[in-house]
């Protein structure tokens, strides 16, 4: 894939040098692959590092709910994660993810440096490990993630992407952020098609392992594996497979964990919240596994008891919902009948951890037992039943 970009960049990107950083960007419109969240943007920096080589990053803490640095090997599995509250600030700067009073500081006082190293990494020194032990090739990928920027129009959180300085084979090579990320939708040709086919094959193989063919529908389970799908080390997921039928919708209900609504002025450091972030996303269950739609915590309606109700439906099946406590997620293209829903939890607090997805996966226990009221229950239901009687009527329909 990297070779394809070097050989044939779209005209819009030709102003960038071949060595600019963060060539790839992924969201719901560009490189929409491997189950992304629409409230996050991902930037990718491929690299090849030998023994003693490194990459030095110079950045600014974004105005956002969360950001992190993650490294991956050639199997697209996580090597290391260094998140916002683990990255120490430069002298004279403060970290808004550890100090709430720093949230309003100007960018010049929100600076940080980090280093990607080929050997063991010391997080206390803002180091992150570049390559997995035992990998025979020197190739890896660095991804920076930004979730819920304060300004929705600025995916990077109102600050530039980090500058990168490569120290390779005794040489120092600065890499400024690319002005124009590579968008495969703007270029067609045999090289691009070959790269896309290879990428789809890798993602398809990983996703088939995440949800084997015998996975029950409308039952949220821990994925068998998230390896090969660029997983975020700070997120854990429950998922359920779905199949479209005309006139049938999916209704999901559960208790919502509390979260710091940073767009409403709540600091990400607020200790009274249960998770840093959560969302429910609906995705196509065909390669490259794009996201169709998500409802993040701050976008999800709740009833007076703190419970959410989602209706996953095609517009032709559910034209409107009068209940203000219902959040509708679109089914998307109904010619793609196979779908998957993912519930994400990010960074549960110690007090909430025992009822989290993370606790279920750490112990291997049934998430329905571990999570209690926070476990999402889903049922197929006719749209007419839901409109007439809501979730309870759908539950009775499914049981009867």
């Amino acid at each position: 894939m990297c070779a394809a970009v070097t050989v044939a960049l779209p005209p819009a990107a030709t102003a960038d040098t071949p060595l600019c950083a963060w060539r790839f960007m992924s969201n719901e419109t560009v490189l929409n692959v491997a189950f992304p969240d629409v409230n996050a943007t991902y930037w990718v920096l491929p690299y090849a590092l030998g023994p003693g080589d490194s990459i030095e990053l110079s950045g600014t803490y974004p105005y956002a709910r969360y950001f992190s640095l993650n490294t991956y090997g050639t199997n697209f599995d996580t090597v290391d994660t260094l998140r916002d509250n683990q990255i120490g600030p430069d002298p004279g700067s403060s970290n808004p993810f550890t100090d709430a009073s720093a949230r309003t500081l100007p960018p010049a006082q929100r600076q940080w440096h980090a280093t990607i190293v080929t050997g063991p990494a010391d997080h206390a020194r803002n180091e992150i490990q570049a390559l997995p032990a035992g990998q025979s090739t020197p190739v890896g990928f660095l991804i920076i993630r930004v979730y819920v920027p304060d300004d929705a129009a600025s995916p990077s959180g109102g600050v530039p992407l980090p500058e990168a300085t490569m120290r390779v084979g005794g040489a120092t090579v600065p890499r400024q952020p690319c002005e124009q990320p590579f968008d495969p939708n703007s270029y067609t040709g045999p090289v691009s098609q070959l790269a896309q086919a290879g990428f789809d094959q890798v993602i398809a193989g990983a996703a088939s392992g995440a949800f084997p063919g015998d996975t029950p529908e409308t039952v949220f389970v821990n994925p068998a594996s998230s390896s090969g799908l660029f997983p975020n080390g700070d997120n854990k997921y429950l998922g359920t497979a779905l199949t479209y039928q005309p006139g049938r919708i999916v209704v999901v209900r559960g208790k919502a964990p509390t979260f710091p609504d940073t767009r409403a002025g709540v600091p990400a450091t607020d200790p009274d919240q249960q998770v840093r972030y959560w969302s429910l996303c609906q995705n196509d269950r065909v390669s490259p596994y794009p996201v169709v739609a998500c409802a993040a915590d701050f976008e999800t309606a709740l009833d007076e008891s703190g419970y959410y109700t989602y209706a996953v439906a095609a517009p032709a099946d559910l034209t409107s919902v009068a209940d203000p406590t219902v959040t509708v997620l679109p089914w998307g293209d109904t010619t793609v009948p196979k779908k998957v829903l993912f519930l994400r939890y990010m960074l549960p607090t110690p007090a909430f951890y025992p009822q989290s997805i993370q606790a279920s996966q750490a112990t291997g226990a049934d998430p329905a037992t571990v999570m209690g009221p926070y476990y999402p229950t889903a049922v197929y239901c006719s749209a007419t039943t839901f409109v007439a009687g809501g979730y309870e009527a759908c539950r009775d329909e499914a049981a009867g």
Side-chain angles (χ1 to χ4, degrees):
M1 184 167 63
C2 302
V5 174
T6 301
V7 171
L9 285 175
T14 55
D16 286 317
T17 68
L19 290 179
C20 67
W22 315 110
R23 172 62 76 188
F24 300 99
M25 182 183 77
S26 175
N27 58 21
E28 76 272 23
T29 58
V30 179
L31 282 179
N32 182 356
V33 299
F35 308 118
D37 189 305
V38 302
N39 286 284
T41 303
Y42 316 76
W43 291 268
V44 186
L45 173 64
Y47 52 77
L49 300 175
D53 294 342
S54 64
I55 305 173
E56 294 183 6
L57 301 177
S58 175
T60 305
Y61 297 106
Y63 298 87
R65 176 90 65 88
Y66 164 92
F67 94 100
S68 66
L69 305 170
N70 290 259
T71 50
Y72 300 86
T74 52
N75 62 355
F76 299 166
D77 203 4
T78 305
V79 176
D80 200 4
T81 300
L82 191 65
R83 81 179 70 93
D84 44 31
N85 60 10
Q86 297 174 318
I87 302 174
D90 290 353
S93 286
S94 296
N95 182 345
F97 297 96
T98 59
D99 178 4
S101 66
R103 293 184 67 245
T104 58
L105 289 176
Q109 294 176 272
R110 298 164 63 104
Q111 302 296 303
W112 56 267
H113 283 77
T115 308
I116 291 81
V117 298
T118 52
D122 182 355
H123 284 185
R125 294 167 55 88
N126 287 1
E127 293 178 346
I128 181 170
Q129 185 175 333
L131 302 169
Q135 180 175 295
S136 59
T137 63
V139 175
F141 304 88
L142 172 64
I143 293 183
I144 184 169
R145 288 174 164 84
V146 176
Y147 274 72
V148 194
D150 292 357
D151 178 1
S154 176
S156 62
V159 299
L161 293 175
E163 297 179 3
T165 300
M166 309 287 293
R167 303 195 184 279
V168 180
T172 299
V173 183
R175 298 181 67 173
Q176 299 290 329
C178 301
E179 294 183 8
Q180 179 66 47
F182 173 66
D183 182 355
N185 294 325
S186 64
Y187 176 77
T188 58
V191 175
S192 177
Q193 292 169 3
L194 179 63
Q196 187 65 47
F199 188 79
D200 284 357
Q201 183 178 9
V202 172
I203 296 298
S208 65
F211 285 98
D214 59 352
T215 301
E217 295 194 354
T218 71
V219 177
F220 279 88
V221 297
N222 288 313
S225 170
S226 60
S227 296
L229 295 171
F230 293 111
N232 182 353
D234 290 330
N235 279 337
K236 295 298 179 185
Y237 317 85
L238 292 181
T240 183
L242 306 174
T243 302
Y244 178 73
Q245 288 185 9
R248 187 176 75 174
I249 68 173
V250 180
V251 183
V252 184
R253 184 167 171 81
K255 188 172 178 62
T258 59
F259 63 95
D261 191 351
T262 44
R263 285 190 179 170
V266 180
T269 55
D270 186 355
D272 295 329
Q273 309 304 324
Q274 294 173 316
V275 296
R276 178 79 76 87
Y277 175 83
W278 69 269
S279 68
L280 187 74
C281 291
Q282 199 269 96
N283 312 263
D284 287 346
R285 194 151 49 106
V286 294
S287 188
Y289 298 90
V291 65
V292 175
C294 296
D297 41 30
F298 67 98
E299 299 168 319
T300 299
L302 305 179
D303 66 15
E304 60 184 11
S305 299
Y307 281 75
Y308 56 75
T309 300
Y310 290 101
V312 186
D317 298 323
L318 189 66
T319 56
S320 64
V321 176
D323 188 343
T325 68
V326 173
T327 302
V328 178
L329 280 178
W331 185 272
D333 185 356
T334 57
T335 64
V336 181
K338 299 294 185 179
K339 303 285 182 171
V340 60
L341 281 179
F342 275 118
L343 178 69
R344 272 180 180 82
Y345 275 10
M346 176 190 287
L347 297 174
T349 61
F352 182 65
Y353 181 87
Q355 292 183 277
S356 68
I357 300 172
Q358 282 80 350
S360 170
Q361 294 194 5
T363 60
D366 180 359
T369 301
V370 171
M371 297 174 68
Y374 296 94
Y375 176 76
T377 58
V379 294
Y380 283 129
C381 181
S382 70
T384 54
T385 298
F386 179 70
V387 171
Y391 171 76
E392 289 76 13
C394 287
R395 182 186 57 192
D396 293 344
E397 179 182 273

